[in-house]
Amino acid sequence: YASHSVSTANEKRVVLLVQQTQLYNIPGSLYDVLEDSRIIVISNLSAPLDYVQRQNLKECLRDID
């Protein structure tokens, strides 16, 4: 399963939320353009994000001046 969303505030940002069991399915070409800090690993898709995951997501989406 894959989905995407584009925000006008962060048009050029790519953040990857991936279930831990699916890490092996990430294409190499995507790994080539993403920094490790832009990959947020989720252990359970049906559980809410924990504090660390929420903070990582906020940091990834924060505007850079």
Side-chain angles (χ1 to χ4, degrees), residues 3-18:
S3 182
H4 74 281
S5 177
V6 177
S7 165
T8 55
N10 298 306
E11 293 174 346
K12 297 180 182 181
R13 301 257 171 104
V14 175
V15 177
L16 180 63
L17 297 171
V18 62

Side-chain angles (χ1 to χ4, degrees), residues 1-53:
Y1 175 78
S3 182
H4 74 281
S5 177
V6 177
S7 165
T8 55
N10 298 306
E11 293 174 346
K12 297 180 182 181
R13 301 257 171 104
V14 175
V15 177
L16 180 63
L17 297 171
V18 62
Q19 188 171 3
Q20 190 164 4
T21 59
Q22 297 300 313
L23 282 170
Y24 67 92
N25 282 327
I26 300 172
S29 57
L30 190 53
Y31 269 122
D32 291 343
V33 297
L34 280 178
E35 299 172 15
D36 288 342
S37 63
R38 303 282 183 198
I39 301 173
I40 300 172
V41 179
I42 301 171
S43 57
N44 182 351
L45 291 177
S46 61
L49 296 177
D50 65 26
Y51 176 79
V52 172
Q53 292 165 332

